[in-house]
Amino acid sequence: MYLGIDLGGINVAAGLVSEAGKIVSHRSVPTPRTPEGVADAIADHVKTLLNEADGTVTYIGLGSPGTIEPDRGMVEYWSNLDFHHVPLGAMIEERTGLPVRMENDAGCAALGEYIAGAGKGSSSMVVITLGTGIGGGAVLNGKLYTGMNHAGLEVGHLVIEHNGRPCTCGRKGCFETYCSATALIREAFRVMDWAPESLLWALAGDKEKVNGKMIFEAYKQGDDLAVGVVREFLEYLGDGVASLVNIFQPEIFAIGGGLAGAGETILAPVREILDREDYARGSSRRTRLVKARLGNDAGIIGAAMLGAV
């Protein structure tokens, strides 16, 4: 049995994972706001799950946001909770008596998809998640790619528009300022006042309640405002995906996160862009663009399997 923790800004989720990469038991609690609280919550998860384990658990796998130093079990910086050089691994080990293997949460999600999801059986894959921002991870030749400082694959901060929209990272024109769920909603919000007849008003009832699902529903029904917003979103998304495909040429490229629920409404137009912008478009072997399969389970599964690959 393997035990994985997916630490997020909203919830701390944990699960027991079988050798086949299936979650057999799951727990989740709201994320405390202090390092001590986070360590206590994780330790509580671990103790409960160990009592349910049908087999031996030899380590705890932990996926954490922010910049990570796995060798020292350190969260060097996590902006959401303002963590600076928090020795979270040691804090958990002290509370549970089990060694901790750590990695960035997006990397863990990519590893989970590679082992048990959309990339199962492939030689390499890249995963991006379209959520509040854009997360990313890659498994190349069976190994999780992290960069020398475990901060690799920050794909949300790939610049796709020179001197474009300001990003929270301090750069301008970052991928996530155009293609995250936050960016999509912000753009729809910006133009709704110009189109009081838009279906979005009827779907949302209140401008403040607009979400990505509503925008894609209005798009599918041919609403002019939604069509304009989504088409721009898809062009930028295709540009970003094509750039990443040209860099890595993975066997599988998977898109996850909340917006991936739109399925082929997103994937089909991006494939068309890849057909014209993929440098290897004339090759007999092409990257396959798919929807990620595991949803919120990917991070738990990938964290649990950190010591098994």
Side-chain angles (χ1 to χ4, degrees), residues 270-289:
V270 173
R271 288 194 193 101
E272 291 181 6
I273 293 170
L274 280 174
D275 284 342
R276 70 172 188 255
E277 296 189 12
D278 178 1
Y279 187 77
R281 58 190 176 274
S283 172
S284 61
R285 300 181 65 193
R286 295 277 308 281
T287 294
R288 188 156 59 92
L289 180 67

Side-chain angles (χ1 to χ4, degrees), residues 50-207:
L50 287 177
N51 288 331
E52 300 174 4
D54 183 19
T56 302
V57 173
T58 59
Y59 67 88
I60 299 164
L62 171 64
S64 171
T67 54
I68 309 299
E69 177 43 70
D71 294 339
R72 294 187 294 141
M74 187 77 68
V75 179
E76 294 186 314
Y77 177 60
W78 178 19
S79 59
N80 279 8
L81 295 189
D82 200 30
F83 281 14
H84 296 265
H85 301 288
V86 173
L88 192 56
M91 294 168 72
I92 296 168
E93 290 179 5
E94 181 181 349
R95 288 163 168 77
T96 64
L98 285 172
V100 174
R101 296 177 183 267
M102 288 178 63
E103 194 48 77
N104 177 267
D105 58 341
C108 287
L111 185 62
E113 285 287 347
Y114 177 79
I115 291 172
K120 188 175 181 180
S122 69
S123 62
S124 59
M125 82 176 302
V126 171
V127 181
I128 64 171
T129 54
L130 309 179
T132 304
I134 296 182
V139 181
L140 307 176
N141 298 320
K143 298 294 183 182
L144 181 64
Y145 176 79
T146 64
M148 59 92 183
N149 57 359
H150 297 265
L153 268 292
E154 283 289 346
V155 298
H157 303 292
L158 169 74
V159 170
I160 61 172
E161 183 74 52
H162 176 64
N163 206 30
R165 298 172 186 169
C167 182
T168 56
C169 75
R171 305 185 80 192
K172 291 183 178 180
C174 287
F175 194 15
E176 69 177 43
T177 65
Y178 292 86
C179 295
S180 63
T182 304
L184 179 68
I185 294 166
R186 184 176 57 234
E187 187 61 14
F189 192 88
R190 184 182 69 83
V191 297
M192 279 179 68
D193 286 334
W194 304 345
E197 75 288 352
S198 171
L199 178 60
L200 280 174
W201 287 102
L203 292 174
D206 183 333
K207 182 178 174 181

